[in-house]
Every structure is written in C-alpha cells, then in structure tokens.
Amino acid sequence: MNGVPASTQPLKSNSLQIRFPKFLRWGMKMSDSSIVLSLPDQPREFGFFVDGSWSPIESREVFERFSPGHGVPVTRIPKCTDADLDAAVNAARKAFDDRRWSGLSGADRAAVLLKAAEGVRTRAEEIAYWETLENGKPISQARAEVGGCVGMFEYASGLARSLHGDSFNNLGDGMFGVVTREPVGVVGVITPWNFPFLILCERIPYILAAGCTIVAKPSEVTSATTLILAEILHDAGLPAGVLNVVTGSGSTIGQGLIEHEQVDMLSFTGSTAVGRRVVEASGKSNFKKLGLELGGKNPQIVFADADLEDAADGVAFGIGFNTGQCCVSGSRLIVERTVAEKFASMVAEKFRKVRVGDPLDERTQVGAITTDAQNTTIMGYIEKGRAEGATLIHGGEQLDFGHGQYIAPTLFGNVTSEMTIAREEIFGPVLTVMPFDTLEEAVAIANDTEYGLAASVWTKNIDKALVVTRRVQAGRFWINTTLSGGPELPIGGFKQSGWGREAGIYGVEEYTQVKSVHIEIGKRTPWVA
Ligand code: TXE
C-alpha cells in the first residue's frame, strides 16, 4: 500500500513480548528478563501531508530507513519533488494570507492546541515506538520525551491566549500609541535526527500559537513522527494548509525550502555548516527571518566543594543521554584540580554501570548511534584523541551486539585546549577532562570555544555558582543539574550556536513581528496653513 495516511498503518507498539535482554551491563548480571518491544514485521510506509491531505509515494523515490539498533528496515518515506515542495509552500502561503488561522481568536487556536496535546497523549506509545526505531534512542527515554511534548502543546495553548503587545498612554493628549504583535507568516521548519519529535514540539506549538502557517521538513532518516504529528493536528481541527510536511533530503527539499521566496521565516536546527548555508540562502533570496539552533561544545564545571556523587551522576548523564547526540550534551568536563583524578574515576565508574544496548528494551539507558555517518565521525574523533596524546580512561570502543551500531561511553584524560576532541563538537558519548585551579581559569576554559549553547556548574557555594553563571557565555545554564528543561524556559545559543530562542513566551514572540500604531486624538495641527 502506497502513501496512505499514517493512522491506517499497522501499529506494532502494543505487541509487547518478554525476551531476554540483549545489552551489555557492566557490573550487572545478565540473567533477569525484561520487557522488550517487538520489531515491526514489515516497514511502515508513509505518505506526505500537504493542504490537509495525504499524498502517496506513487512514482517518487523512497527512503528506506533501517533501525540503527537492529539493522532491519522500519520505515519507508517518500522523497518529495520540487513540485511537492512548491505545493506545500503555496498551501501554507494561501492559508496564511486568507487568515484562516491567524484570523481566529487566541482562544480558538488554544482549543486546537489543547486537542493536539490530547492527541499526542493518546498516541504517545506509538510515537515513542517509531521514534526509537528510527533514531535508536532507548524506548523509556522516547516515552519521556513524548510526555514532555504534551506539556509543550498545553503551555503553548495558554500563550495563544495571552500573547499581547503594549500601549503608550504617555505621548501627550493628542496621541495614543499601540504596539501589536503579528504572526510573521509562512515558517519553514527544518529539524535534525537527534530529537525528531522533541525538537519539532519545541517549535510547532509555539509557531501555531503565534498564528503562523508551517512547512516542516524533518530529517530524511527520522521523518515518521513528524508525519504522525501532522495527522494528530489535522484530527485536532487544524485547518488545511496550516501545517504541511514534506519529506526528502537536505540538499534537495531542505535547500529548496531555505531558498524559497514565499517563506517568511526559517527555523533551522542542525549542523553549523548547514546553518551557514541557511544564512546565505536568506541573503540571496528574500531576507527571510531566521531562527538557528546549531552546534555546542558545552562545559560541565565541577568545583571541589560540589556534592561529587551528584555531580558524577549528572556529568555521566549529561554525556550519555541520547548517546551524546545532543546539541546541549555536556561534553567538556572542567574540574577543580584538587579532586580531578578522584572525580574522573567516579565518572568512569558511572560509565561502567550504564546499561548500553537494545533501544527496545525498557531498561536500556544508552541506545544506538543514529546514523552510519555519525558512528564513523565519533570513532574518528576517538582515534584522533588517542593520536593527539589524550589518555583513554574508559570506553573508546565499538560494542558488538551482533546487530546495530553502539559505542561505549568514553572518557579522555590529559586533554589540552588545543586538541581536536576539546574543540570540535563530537556529537557522541565522548567526554574530555580538563583540570582548573581558579574560578577565573574555569571560566576562561569554558568560554574558549566558538559555541555558546549550554553550560552546567556544580558547587555548593552559591556565590561561585552565580559568578560562573554570569560569566560563562551560554544560552542555557544549569546549576547542580544538567539537561533539564520544560515548556516555560527558552532554548537557544550565544556565539556560533545560533540565533533566536525557542519555547516559553520568547518562543512565541520569535514568530511574531512588532507593529507600532500611532493614533492621533482630536483635530490635526495643520502642516499647510
Ligand atoms: O546535520 P545536518 P547532520 C551536528 C552534529 C552532527 C552534524 C552533522 O555535530 O555530527 O551536525 O549532522 C537538513 N539545506 N548536529 O549531517 O546536515 C537535513 O536534511 C537545508 C547538531 O545530520 O545539518 C536535516 O533535516 N537543509 C544538531 C537537518 O538539515 C539541509 C543536530 C540537519 O542536518 C541542508 C544534528 C541544506 N543544504 C546535527 N542540508 C543540533 N544542533 O542539535 C541538510 N539539511
């Protein structure tokens, strides 16, 4: 069956079965059983979604996605054509220009977003299952992410109602000033493969709350859950044309979207290299407004007075979560010299205990590396670390489970600031350790990067925590925790980590334009006598 709507496809996520876990747990027995979801019998096939209807694959070429954790085909997605992209942008343009969405009250938009939240909640298990199959992340993590996405829709629904401008009643008796916020227009949304659903939901509800219309292009390797969301929003009553999803490669459909003259704003999340192309394309086309969330090389600063047990756990989580394939992964451990050796051993001990393995096993904590290319990249960096003289304290190897691609959490000591592994975003479970003697030195090392996405500090001294928070250049900061977040708090980077903010009230305002309205009261003072 070709290109049918997502909901008519067989759902495999309910087929629970008990089998013995196939994962490696350092320091743990392999004898106990656990719940492991089954693989699908056949790949699930998707169409794409334009102007409120599904188009089948038909004669289009197809991406067949193999599960990175199992090496079997799981989804088939159409490679859209230039004509498909044009149709999607035209549908979004028409839907914006005729005000079928932006002309509704905030209350009416909120009602749709709340229904969508309910739809995500109802289909959470299905979304988590396909997310895990395409991405390789552990099923328990995928479930938690989808749960967080429900909150994004609920929070954004409130913002649809509370979004407002400003007024100036202090301009004298003859003038009243009003500042209004208007939706920016047609927004292109390009998302990556590391958090296909979460990153999408950090944007879509807020963009819709602002009153914009959307053309979304997910990563070609993880398109399934974006297509499922299109169906959920349609079922929630979103008018046709307000959200359109086209699938295809970055170099064809992605490039076409960033260059498109009818797209007013582009939200791009991905590599810094493609981020540059997005900026160029905007300049060469219609100067579309841009939101960019790019790479990171995020510091974890640990002072000797921290709760070291908490800090070691947080640092291990900060780089192990999503196999370190997060733009906000805490990939640089900067630790006070007096405890550096002891603390590195504590982190290595955590790495030893982390359960790496089958993403469909409920107990797995670290799953597969999402793409072959990323696997090669990470192993290349590990090799480079060794070659440049860093000391491998833990990991460094590929784990063989007989299927899929897995890398052990890896810890490098004796790292200097010139080394490639200390400078470049690895986007994998690789942590480097650098010691410091003073707070100033810790801040200098933390800021010695072209990026500025996120940072964490671990200390029980509130003065130190606040001084570091003020001085380190990063869009997100965590004190005695890491990688936490929610719909209220904005996301985005300083320096080359990007432009703009997503989520929170800031995330809605990002997708608006400000208009100032000058209102004359009473009789005009004549210019011509
Ligand atoms: O990203 P790309 P890749 C970083 C990370 C990783 C590296 C490469 O370091 O190793 O990027 O990953 C679309 N015009 N991050 O190659 O290529 C593409 O189809 C328009 C950090 O997967 O940037 C996908 O939808 N779009 C990041 C999206 O861009 C284009 C998350 C991201 O793909 C395009 C992912 C083009 N010319 C990777 N080329 C983060 N900030 O979280 C590609 N795309």
Side-chain angles (χ1 to χ4, degrees):
M1 214 166 15
N2 263 358
V4 292
S7 63
T8 64
Q9 297 283 336
L11 170 61
K12 288 285 159 194
S13 54
N14 290 331
S15 51
L16 290 176
Q17 69 171 37
I18 306 288
R19 71 177 199 225
F20 285 104
K22 179 99 184 196
F23 59 64
L24 182 67
R25 296 189 301 156
W26 290 293
M28 293 183 78
K29 291 199 188 86
M30 297 291 288
S31 57
D32 42 350
S33 61
S34 65
I35 303 271
V36 185
L37 301 181
S38 303
L39 286 164
D41 299 332
Q42 60 187 47
R44 178 173 174 176
E45 195 164 286
F46 288 84
F48 63 99
F49 190 71
V50 170
D51 208 10
S53 28
W54 291 93
S55 296
I57 291 176
E58 284 177 333
S59 59
R60 293 170 186 84
E61 288 179 55
V62 170
F63 276 112
E64 192 162 59
R65 175 65 176 152
F66 284 68
S67 161
H70 312 91
V72 301
V74 287
T75 50
R76 287 165 52 80
I77 311 280
K79 291 187 188 178
C80 289
T81 62
D82 291 347
D84 297 333
L85 174 63
D86 274 339
V89 175
N90 290 341
R93 181 82 266 160
K94 187 160 183 299
F96 184 75
D97 290 347
D98 69 16
R99 302 180 63 79
R100 72 185 76 165
W101 182 243
S102 64
L104 297 182
S105 67
D108 287 345
R109 285 203 295 275
V112 172
L113 292 172
L114 275 179
K115 269 196 192 151
E118 209 38 53
V120 173
R121 204 191 310 272
T122 305
R123 294 177 69 176
E125 187 60 23
E126 176 194 3
I127 297 167
Y129 178 71
W130 294 100
E131 189 85 332
T132 286
L133 286 179
E134 286 197 330
N135 170 278
K137 67 179 67 204
I139 186 72
S140 58
Q141 181 193 318
R143 286 173 179 151
E145 287 171 16
V146 176
C149 292
V150 173
M152 299 282 177
F153 274 95
E154 288 171 342
Y155 186 72
S157 73
L159 293 175
R161 303 191 72 157
S162 61
L163 183 66
H164 64 276
D166 206 350
S167 64
F168 287 83
N169 203 24
N170 60 346
L171 304 179
D173 278 347
M175 180 68 71
F176 181 51
V178 178
V179 180
T180 61
R181 285 195 175 272
E182 297 185 1
V184 79
V186 175
V187 181
V189 179
I190 297 180
T191 47
W193 42 258
N194 56 340
F195 293 95
F197 198 68
L198 182 65
I199 287 178
L200 188 73
C201 294
E202 285 168 348
R203 287 150 181 78
I204 299 285
Y206 300 90
I207 300 172
L208 292 177
C212 298
T213 62
I214 299 170
V215 177
K217 197 224 65 88
S219 164
E220 49 274 43
V221 295
T222 53
S223 300
T225 54
T226 303
L227 292 161
I228 294 173
L229 183 67
E231 192 170 57
I232 289 171
L233 278 161
H234 179 70
D235 292 349
L238 190 72
V242 178
L243 172 72
N244 308 274
V245 181
V246 281
T247 50
S249 73
S251 56
T252 55
I253 297 301
Q255 188 71 31
L257 189 56
I258 66 179
E259 289 173 358
H260 211 293
E261 299 276 345
Q262 291 301 321
V263 173
D264 302 304
M265 178 167 175
L266 202 293
S267 163
F268 173 78
T269 311
S271 62
T272 302
V274 176
R276 278 186 210 288
R277 299 183 78 128
V278 173
V279 174
E280 278 164 23
S282 170
K284 283 188 187 150
S285 57
N286 56 339
F287 279 110
K288 53 181 67 65
K289 186 178 177 185
L290 299 179
L292 304 172
E293 192 184 342
L294 309 173
K297 190 73 181 170
N298 312 292
Q300 289 269 5
I301 302 173
V302 179
F303 285 92
D305 62 12
D307 179 327
L308 293 184
E309 186 51 40
D310 269 8
D313 190 72
V315 167
F317 171 69
I319 192 67
F321 180 72
N322 215 47
T323 51
Q325 299 176 124
C326 316
C327 48
V328 289
S329 290
S331 53
R332 291 186 298 144
L333 170 57
I334 302 166
V335 54
E336 195 159 354
R337 195 180 301 276
T338 50
V339 295
E341 208 168 309
K342 173 182 166 194
F343 190 74
S345 314
M346 291 171 74
V347 173
E349 184 56 24
K350 298 280 177 197
F351 280 2
R352 253 184 291 282
K353 290 182 180 163
V354 166
R355 297 188 297 266
V356 184
D358 187 345
L360 289 175
D361 187 314
E362 291 194 327
R363 291 175 308 169
T364 293
Q365 291 173 289
V366 174
I369 303 300
T370 304
T371 66
D372 294 348
Q374 193 58 33
N375 193 67
T376 307
T377 302
I378 298 167
M379 291 312 292
Y381 276 114
I382 291 174
E383 201 36 56
K384 211 162 206 162
R386 282 195 176 108
E388 290 183 1
T391 306
L392 189 62
I393 301 174
H394 188 269
E397 77 272 14
Q398 199 88 55
L399 299 175
D400 183 6
F401 296 104
H403 50 72
Q405 56 214 5
Y406 299 86
I407 296 177
T410 297
L411 184 62
F412 274 112
N414 286 328
V415 176
T416 60
S417 56
E418 309 76 46
M419 288 182 186
T420 313
I421 55 170
R423 306 212 69 78
E424 294 184 10
E425 182 180 52
I426 297 174
F427 223 59
V430 181
L431 180 65
T432 59
V433 189
M434 291 175 72
F436 71 84
D437 292 302
T438 63
L439 182 149
E440 284 67 30
E441 199 188 347
V443 169
I445 298 171
N447 284 335
D448 183 19
T449 169
E450 67 204 27
Y451 296 116
L453 202 52
S456 305
V457 60
W458 300 82
T459 173
K460 286 296 175 194
N461 181 322
I462 186 70
D463 295 348
K464 280 186 203 167
L466 291 178
V467 171
V468 168
T469 304
R470 281 186 173 166
R471 294 198 200 158
V472 172
Q473 296 158 307
R476 289 173 90 180
F477 222 97
W478 292 289
I479 299 175
N480 293 324
T481 185
T482 198
L483 303 191
S484 51
E488 297 84 359
L489 293 173
I491 298 164
F494 284 29
K495 301 200 277 188
Q496 293 187 35
S497 288
W499 292 348
R501 294 293 178 270
E502 307 287 353
I505 179 68
Y506 314 89
V508 178
E509 288 178 353
E510 195 77 27
Y511 294 96
T512 64
Q513 306 211 68
V514 165
K515 182 179 276 179
S516 56
V517 184
H518 310 73
I519 305 164
E520 175 115 9
I521 302 169
K523 185 95 182 106
R524 175 180 170 79
T525 310
W527 181 52
V528 181

